[in-house]
mmCIF file of all heavy atoms in Angstrom:
data_model
loop_
_atom_site.group_PDB
_atom_site.id
_atom_site.type_symbol
_atom_site.label_atom_id
_atom_site.label_comp_id
_atom_site.label_asym_id
_atom_site.label_seq_id
_atom_site.Cartn_x
_atom_site.Cartn_y
_atom_site.Cartn_z
ATOM 1 N N LEU A 6 20.429 -21.947 -21.577
ATOM 2 C CA LEU A 6 20.637 -20.554 -21.200
ATOM 3 C C LEU A 6 20.555 -20.383 -19.690
ATOM 4 O O LEU A 6 21.398 -19.714 -19.072
ATOM 5 C CB LEU A 6 19.591 -19.665 -21.883
ATOM 6 C CG LEU A 6 19.567 -18.198 -21.435
ATOM 7 C CD1 LEU A 6 20.883 -17.501 -21.760
ATOM 8 C CD2 LEU A 6 18.386 -17.459 -22.059
ATOM 9 N N HIS A 7 19.547 -20.976 -19.098
ATOM 10 C CA HIS A 7 19.348 -20.856 -17.654
ATOM 11 C C HIS A 7 20.543 -21.416 -16.891
ATOM 12 O O HIS A 7 21.043 -20.797 -15.938
ATOM 13 C CB HIS A 7 18.069 -21.591 -17.253
ATOM 14 C CG HIS A 7 17.705 -21.414 -15.811
ATOM 15 N ND1 HIS A 7 18.062 -22.322 -14.843
ATOM 16 C CD2 HIS A 7 17.012 -20.432 -15.179
ATOM 17 C CE1 HIS A 7 17.605 -21.919 -13.671
ATOM 18 N NE2 HIS A 7 16.961 -20.779 -13.843
ATOM 19 N N ASN A 8 21.040 -22.564 -17.317
ATOM 20 C CA ASN A 8 22.192 -23.172 -16.642
ATOM 21 C C ASN A 8 23.442 -22.310 -16.750
ATOM 22 O O ASN A 8 24.228 -22.198 -15.800
ATOM 23 C CB ASN A 8 22.463 -24.567 -17.206
ATOM 24 C CG ASN A 8 21.437 -25.586 -16.760
ATOM 25 O OD1 ASN A 8 20.706 -25.363 -15.790
ATOM 26 N ND2 ASN A 8 21.365 -26.708 -17.459
ATOM 27 N N GLU A 9 23.644 -21.686 -17.914
ATOM 28 C CA GLU A 9 24.826 -20.846 -18.081
ATOM 29 C C GLU A 9 24.726 -19.583 -17.225
ATOM 30 O O GLU A 9 25.710 -19.152 -16.614
ATOM 31 C CB GLU A 9 25.011 -20.484 -19.557
ATOM 32 C CG GLU A 9 26.208 -19.599 -19.848
ATOM 33 C CD GLU A 9 27.544 -20.251 -19.581
ATOM 34 O OE1 GLU A 9 27.578 -21.456 -19.234
ATOM 35 O OE2 GLU A 9 28.569 -19.557 -19.726
ATOM 36 N N LEU A 10 23.556 -18.974 -17.180
ATOM 37 C CA LEU A 10 23.376 -17.810 -16.322
ATOM 38 C C LEU A 10 23.613 -18.169 -14.856
ATOM 39 O O LEU A 10 24.274 -17.418 -14.116
ATOM 40 C CB LEU A 10 21.955 -17.248 -16.492
ATOM 41 C CG LEU A 10 21.669 -16.470 -17.775
ATOM 42 C CD1 LEU A 10 20.169 -16.247 -17.928
ATOM 43 C CD2 LEU A 10 22.402 -15.134 -17.782
ATOM 44 N N LYS A 11 23.090 -19.302 -14.446
ATOM 45 C CA LYS A 11 23.274 -19.738 -13.060
ATOM 46 C C LYS A 11 24.745 -20.007 -12.768
ATOM 47 O O LYS A 11 25.265 -19.640 -11.703
ATOM 48 C CB LYS A 11 22.426 -20.995 -12.805
ATOM 49 C CG LYS A 11 22.480 -21.505 -11.369
ATOM 50 C CD LYS A 11 21.409 -22.552 -11.111
ATOM 51 C CE LYS A 11 21.549 -23.744 -12.020
ATOM 52 N NZ LYS A 11 20.561 -24.808 -11.703
ATOM 53 N N ARG A 12 25.421 -20.625 -13.730
ATOM 54 C CA ARG A 12 26.854 -20.917 -13.544
ATOM 55 C C ARG A 12 27.670 -19.632 -13.387
ATOM 56 O O ARG A 12 28.475 -19.494 -12.458
ATOM 57 C CB ARG A 12 27.385 -21.721 -14.727
ATOM 58 C CG ARG A 12 28.851 -22.142 -14.582
ATOM 59 C CD ARG A 12 29.419 -22.669 -15.876
ATOM 60 N NE ARG A 12 29.577 -21.615 -16.883
ATOM 61 C CZ ARG A 12 30.582 -20.744 -16.888
ATOM 62 N NH1 ARG A 12 31.508 -20.778 -15.936
ATOM 63 N NH2 ARG A 12 30.664 -19.821 -17.836
ATOM 64 N N VAL A 13 27.446 -18.672 -14.286
ATOM 65 C CA VAL A 13 28.224 -17.438 -14.245
ATOM 66 C C VAL A 13 27.891 -16.629 -12.991
ATOM 67 O O VAL A 13 28.776 -16.019 -12.382
ATOM 68 C CB VAL A 13 27.964 -16.606 -15.520
ATOM 69 C CG1 VAL A 13 28.657 -15.249 -15.433
ATOM 70 C CG2 VAL A 13 28.455 -17.354 -16.747
ATOM 71 N N ALA A 14 26.640 -16.628 -12.584
ATOM 72 C CA ALA A 14 26.245 -15.862 -11.400
ATOM 73 C C ALA A 14 26.884 -16.401 -10.130
ATOM 74 O O ALA A 14 27.264 -15.632 -9.236
ATOM 75 C CB ALA A 14 24.722 -15.861 -11.257
ATOM 76 N N THR A 15 27.024 -17.705 -10.035
ATOM 77 C CA THR A 15 27.466 -18.328 -8.780
ATOM 78 C C THR A 15 28.880 -18.872 -8.817
ATOM 79 O O THR A 15 29.365 -19.395 -7.804
ATOM 80 C CB THR A 15 26.507 -19.474 -8.403
ATOM 81 O OG1 THR A 15 26.533 -20.474 -9.448
ATOM 82 C CG2 THR A 15 25.079 -18.975 -8.226
ATOM 83 N N ALA A 16 29.583 -18.757 -9.946
ATOM 84 C CA ALA A 16 30.919 -19.344 -10.075
ATOM 85 C C ALA A 16 31.905 -18.675 -9.130
ATOM 86 O O ALA A 16 31.854 -17.466 -8.884
ATOM 87 C CB ALA A 16 31.413 -19.219 -11.520
ATOM 88 N N ALA A 17 32.845 -19.476 -8.604
ATOM 89 C CA ALA A 17 33.879 -18.943 -7.722
ATOM 90 C C ALA A 17 34.809 -18.007 -8.469
ATOM 91 O O ALA A 17 35.362 -17.061 -7.905
ATOM 92 C CB ALA A 17 34.671 -20.088 -7.095
ATOM 93 N N THR A 18 35.004 -18.262 -9.762
ATOM 94 C CA THR A 18 35.819 -17.385 -10.589
ATOM 95 C C THR A 18 34.953 -16.305 -11.208
ATOM 96 O O THR A 18 33.728 -16.417 -11.249
ATOM 97 C CB THR A 18 36.504 -18.183 -11.710
ATOM 98 O OG1 THR A 18 35.494 -18.847 -12.494
ATOM 99 C CG2 THR A 18 37.452 -19.219 -11.133
ATOM 100 N N GLY A 19 35.580 -15.263 -11.702
ATOM 101 C CA GLY A 19 34.827 -14.184 -12.327
ATOM 102 C C GLY A 19 34.903 -12.911 -11.521
ATOM 103 O O GLY A 19 35.428 -12.876 -10.394
ATOM 104 N N LYS A 20 34.371 -11.855 -12.091
ATOM 105 C CA LYS A 20 34.437 -10.539 -11.477
ATOM 106 C C LYS A 20 33.456 -10.438 -10.321
ATOM 107 O O LYS A 20 32.310 -10.859 -10.412
ATOM 108 C CB LYS A 20 34.114 -9.481 -12.535
ATOM 109 C CG LYS A 20 34.410 -8.052 -12.103
ATOM 110 C CD LYS A 20 34.176 -7.104 -13.271
ATOM 111 C CE LYS A 20 34.466 -5.661 -12.877
ATOM 112 N NZ LYS A 20 34.232 -4.728 -14.008
ATOM 113 N N GLY A 21 33.920 -9.903 -9.196
ATOM 114 C CA GLY A 21 33.054 -9.724 -8.042
ATOM 115 C C GLY A 21 32.871 -10.993 -7.241
ATOM 116 O O GLY A 21 33.372 -12.068 -7.579
ATOM 117 N N SER A 22 32.093 -10.869 -6.171
ATOM 118 C CA SER A 22 31.824 -12.018 -5.301
ATOM 119 C C SER A 22 30.721 -12.881 -5.887
ATOM 120 O O SER A 22 29.730 -12.357 -6.408
ATOM 121 C CB SER A 22 31.398 -11.538 -3.910
ATOM 122 O OG SER A 22 32.396 -10.735 -3.318
ATOM 123 N N PRO A 23 30.849 -14.214 -5.812
ATOM 124 C CA PRO A 23 29.806 -15.094 -6.350
ATOM 125 C C PRO A 23 28.459 -14.840 -5.682
ATOM 126 O O PRO A 23 28.385 -14.599 -4.474
ATOM 127 C CB PRO A 23 30.329 -16.498 -6.023
ATOM 128 C CG PRO A 23 31.790 -16.338 -5.787
ATOM 129 C CD PRO A 23 31.977 -14.964 -5.223
ATOM 130 N N ALA A 24 27.404 -14.875 -6.475
ATOM 131 C CA ALA A 24 26.062 -14.785 -5.906
ATOM 132 C C ALA A 24 25.752 -16.066 -5.142
ATOM 133 O O ALA A 24 26.181 -17.156 -5.526
ATOM 134 C CB ALA A 24 25.037 -14.566 -7.011
ATOM 135 N N VAL A 25 24.993 -15.922 -4.072
ATOM 136 C CA VAL A 25 24.579 -17.069 -3.261
ATOM 137 C C VAL A 25 23.165 -17.451 -3.683
ATOM 138 O O VAL A 25 22.256 -16.613 -3.664
ATOM 139 C CB VAL A 25 24.621 -16.727 -1.764
ATOM 140 C CG1 VAL A 25 24.096 -17.900 -0.933
ATOM 141 C CG2 VAL A 25 26.036 -16.345 -1.342
ATOM 142 N N LEU A 26 22.972 -18.709 -4.067
ATOM 143 C CA LEU A 26 21.662 -19.194 -4.504
ATOM 144 C C LEU A 26 21.057 -20.063 -3.421
ATOM 145 O O LEU A 26 21.630 -21.092 -3.046
ATOM 146 C CB LEU A 26 21.795 -19.977 -5.807
ATOM 147 C CG LEU A 26 20.530 -20.661 -6.331
ATOM 148 C CD1 LEU A 26 19.437 -19.628 -6.609
ATOM 149 C CD2 LEU A 26 20.842 -21.457 -7.592
ATOM 150 N N LYS A 27 19.892 -19.650 -2.908
ATOM 151 C CA LYS A 27 19.184 -20.411 -1.883
ATOM 152 C C LYS A 27 17.905 -20.966 -2.506
ATOM 153 O O LYS A 27 16.988 -20.211 -2.834
ATOM 154 C CB LYS A 27 18.850 -19.530 -0.676
ATOM 155 C CG LYS A 27 20.075 -19.022 0.085
ATOM 156 C CD LYS A 27 19.657 -18.163 1.264
ATOM 157 C CE LYS A 27 20.852 -17.690 2.063
ATOM 158 N NZ LYS A 27 21.526 -18.799 2.792
ATOM 159 N N THR A 28 17.851 -22.280 -2.684
ATOM 160 C CA THR A 28 16.671 -22.914 -3.254
ATOM 161 C C THR A 28 15.699 -23.323 -2.151
ATOM 162 O O THR A 28 16.011 -23.226 -0.958
ATOM 163 C CB THR A 28 17.081 -24.139 -4.087
ATOM 164 O OG1 THR A 28 17.784 -25.060 -3.244
ATOM 165 C CG2 THR A 28 17.983 -23.733 -5.240
ATOM 166 N N SER A 29 14.514 -23.775 -2.571
ATOM 167 C CA SER A 29 13.450 -24.145 -1.616
ATOM 168 C C SER A 29 13.209 -23.013 -0.627
ATOM 169 O O SER A 29 13.007 -23.238 0.567
ATOM 170 C CB SER A 29 13.812 -25.439 -0.883
ATOM 171 O OG SER A 29 13.999 -26.503 -1.780
ATOM 172 N N SER A 30 13.257 -21.776 -1.124
ATOM 173 C CA SER A 30 13.113 -20.587 -0.282
ATOM 174 C C SER A 30 11.969 -19.747 -0.824
ATOM 175 O O SER A 30 12.164 -18.854 -1.647
ATOM 176 C CB SER A 30 14.414 -19.784 -0.262
ATOM 177 O OG SER A 30 15.484 -20.553 0.257
ATOM 178 N N CYS A 31 10.780 -20.059 -0.354
ATOM 179 C CA CYS A 31 9.572 -19.395 -0.843
ATOM 180 C C CYS A 31 9.329 -18.107 -0.060
ATOM 181 O O CYS A 31 9.138 -18.135 1.165
ATOM 182 C CB CYS A 31 8.369 -20.325 -0.703
ATOM 183 S SG CYS A 31 6.836 -19.624 -1.325
ATOM 184 N N VAL A 32 9.352 -16.972 -0.759
ATOM 185 C CA VAL A 32 9.127 -15.673 -0.125
ATOM 186 C C VAL A 32 7.623 -15.440 0.010
ATOM 187 O O VAL A 32 6.866 -15.578 -0.948
ATOM 188 C CB VAL A 32 9.767 -14.547 -0.960
ATOM 189 C CG1 VAL A 32 9.401 -13.175 -0.392
ATOM 190 C CG2 VAL A 32 11.277 -14.720 -1.001
ATOM 191 N N THR A 33 7.197 -15.078 1.216
ATOM 192 C CA THR A 33 5.771 -14.852 1.470
ATOM 193 C C THR A 33 5.444 -13.397 1.764
ATOM 194 O O THR A 33 4.283 -12.998 1.664
ATOM 195 C CB THR A 33 5.299 -15.705 2.663
ATOM 196 O OG1 THR A 33 6.079 -15.358 3.824
ATOM 197 C CG2 THR A 33 5.457 -17.191 2.360
ATOM 198 N N ASP A 34 6.468 -12.594 2.106
ATOM 199 C CA ASP A 34 6.181 -11.201 2.448
ATOM 200 C C ASP A 34 7.419 -10.353 2.189
ATOM 201 O O ASP A 34 8.552 -10.827 2.306
ATOM 202 C CB ASP A 34 5.772 -11.076 3.922
ATOM 203 C CG ASP A 34 5.289 -9.672 4.266
ATOM 204 O OD1 ASP A 34 4.363 -9.188 3.604
ATOM 205 O OD2 ASP A 34 5.880 -9.057 5.171
ATOM 206 N N VAL A 35 7.184 -9.083 1.829
ATOM 207 C CA VAL A 35 8.270 -8.135 1.579
ATOM 208 C C VAL A 35 7.949 -6.836 2.298
ATOM 209 O O VAL A 35 6.858 -6.278 2.143
ATOM 210 C CB VAL A 35 8.441 -7.857 0.068
ATOM 211 C CG1 VAL A 35 9.537 -6.819 -0.157
ATOM 212 C CG2 VAL A 35 8.755 -9.127 -0.694
ATOM 213 N N ASP A 36 8.907 -6.346 3.086
ATOM 214 C CA ASP A 36 8.807 -5.028 3.701
ATOM 215 C C ASP A 36 9.649 -4.077 2.863
ATOM 216 O O ASP A 36 10.884 -4.114 2.909
ATOM 217 C CB ASP A 36 9.316 -5.063 5.144
ATOM 218 C CG ASP A 36 9.065 -3.750 5.889
ATOM 219 O OD1 ASP A 36 9.181 -2.682 5.247
ATOM 220 O OD2 ASP A 36 8.793 -3.785 7.103
ATOM 221 N N THR A 37 8.983 -3.241 2.058
ATOM 222 C CA THR A 37 9.705 -2.404 1.105
ATOM 223 C C THR A 37 10.478 -1.274 1.772
ATOM 224 O O THR A 37 11.427 -0.741 1.194
ATOM 225 C CB THR A 37 8.728 -1.808 0.085
ATOM 226 O OG1 THR A 37 7.775 -0.987 0.767
ATOM 227 C CG2 THR A 37 8.009 -2.903 -0.681
ATOM 228 N N SER A 38 10.084 -0.878 2.969
ATOM 229 C CA SER A 38 10.763 0.231 3.647
ATOM 230 C C SER A 38 12.067 -0.208 4.290
ATOM 231 O O SER A 38 13.065 0.522 4.265
ATOM 232 C CB SER A 38 9.845 0.869 4.690
ATOM 233 O OG SER A 38 9.476 -0.091 5.682
ATOM 234 N N THR A 39 12.092 -1.415 4.851
ATOM 235 C CA THR A 39 13.306 -1.904 5.511
ATOM 236 C C THR A 39 14.139 -2.810 4.616
ATOM 237 O O THR A 39 15.263 -3.155 4.961
ATOM 238 C CB THR A 39 12.944 -2.677 6.791
ATOM 239 O OG1 THR A 39 12.170 -3.843 6.439
ATOM 240 C CG2 THR A 39 12.149 -1.805 7.745
ATOM 241 N N GLY A 40 13.568 -3.204 3.461
ATOM 242 C CA GLY A 40 14.296 -4.113 2.585
ATOM 243 C C GLY A 40 14.386 -5.521 3.142
ATOM 244 O O GLY A 40 15.406 -6.195 2.988
ATOM 245 N N THR A 41 13.291 -5.975 3.759
ATOM 246 C CA THR A 41 13.291 -7.282 4.419
ATOM 247 C C THR A 41 12.306 -8.222 3.740
ATOM 248 O O THR A 41 11.184 -7.827 3.426
ATOM 249 C CB THR A 41 12.909 -7.136 5.908
ATOM 250 O OG1 THR A 41 13.841 -6.255 6.547
ATOM 251 C CG2 THR A 41 12.924 -8.481 6.614
ATOM 252 N N ILE A 42 12.738 -9.461 3.515
ATOM 253 C CA ILE A 42 11.834 -10.493 3.008
ATOM 254 C C ILE A 42 11.608 -11.534 4.098
ATOM 255 O O ILE A 42 12.480 -11.770 4.946
ATOM 256 C CB ILE A 42 12.395 -11.174 1.739
ATOM 257 C CG1 ILE A 42 13.710 -11.891 2.044
ATOM 258 C CG2 ILE A 42 12.568 -10.173 0.613
ATOM 259 C CD1 ILE A 42 14.185 -12.808 0.917
ATOM 260 N N THR A 43 10.433 -12.126 4.073
ATOM 261 C CA THR A 43 10.095 -13.205 5.006
ATOM 262 C C THR A 43 9.816 -14.458 4.201
ATOM 263 O O THR A 43 9.054 -14.423 3.220
ATOM 264 C CB THR A 43 8.859 -12.841 5.842
ATOM 265 O OG1 THR A 43 9.115 -11.627 6.563
ATOM 266 C CG2 THR A 43 8.527 -13.957 6.822
ATOM 267 N N LEU A 44 10.428 -15.580 4.600
ATOM 268 C CA LEU A 44 10.228 -16.849 3.915
ATOM 269 C C LEU A 44 9.087 -17.622 4.549
ATOM 270 O O LEU A 44 8.589 -17.286 5.630
ATOM 271 C CB LEU A 44 11.508 -17.680 3.958
ATOM 272 C CG LEU A 44 12.770 -17.051 3.365
ATOM 273 C CD1 LEU A 44 13.903 -18.080 3.334
ATOM 274 C CD2 LEU A 44 12.510 -16.499 1.973
ATOM 275 N N GLU A 45 8.704 -18.674 3.860
ATOM 276 C CA GLU A 45 7.586 -19.507 4.308
ATOM 277 C C GLU A 45 7.831 -20.096 5.686
ATOM 278 O O GLU A 45 6.890 -20.292 6.469
ATOM 279 C CB GLU A 45 7.372 -20.619 3.284
ATOM 280 C CG GLU A 45 6.026 -21.298 3.360
ATOM 281 C CD GLU A 45 5.814 -22.221 2.179
ATOM 282 O OE1 GLU A 45 6.787 -22.890 1.757
ATOM 283 O OE2 GLU A 45 4.683 -22.273 1.657
ATOM 284 N N ASP A 46 9.107 -20.341 6.029
ATOM 285 C CA ASP A 46 9.413 -20.932 7.334
ATOM 286 C C ASP A 46 9.543 -19.884 8.435
ATOM 287 O O ASP A 46 9.883 -20.200 9.578
ATOM 288 C CB ASP A 46 10.700 -21.757 7.256
ATOM 289 C CG ASP A 46 11.927 -20.921 6.888
ATOM 290 O OD1 ASP A 46 11.801 -19.678 6.787
ATOM 291 O OD2 ASP A 46 13.015 -21.510 6.691
ATOM 292 N N GLY A 47 9.293 -18.600 8.091
ATOM 293 C CA GLY A 47 9.341 -17.533 9.078
ATOM 294 C C GLY A 47 10.664 -16.809 9.172
ATOM 295 O O GLY A 47 10.758 -15.767 9.832
ATOM 296 N N SER A 48 11.697 -17.321 8.550
ATOM 297 C CA SER A 48 12.998 -16.657 8.602
ATOM 298 C C SER A 48 12.968 -15.381 7.774
ATOM 299 O O SER A 48 12.204 -15.256 6.814
ATOM 300 C CB SER A 48 14.105 -17.591 8.109
ATOM 301 O OG SER A 48 13.847 -18.029 6.785
#
């Protein structure tokens, strides 16, 4: 199930633009007012 969801979400074909999947991206902070996330590496 997980593989199929990932495939459909990120496939080049299908309705809309493919979702971009960024792995090894640990979120450490969220600013709810600006809609900003901060990753472990500071980005």
Side-chain angles (χ1 to χ4, degrees):
L6 172 63
H7 186 265
N8 287 343
E9 180 66 4
L10 285 168
K11 183 168 59 176
R12 183 192 69 79
V13 174
T15 61
T18 58
K20 191 175 180 180
S22 301
V25 176
L26 175 60
K27 295 180 178 291
T28 59
S29 301
S30 300
C31 182
V32 174
T33 59
D34 188 55
V35 177
D36 187 323
T37 61
S38 61
T39 63
T41 301
I42 62 169
T43 302
L44 302 187
E45 198 171 38
D46 62 5
S48 58

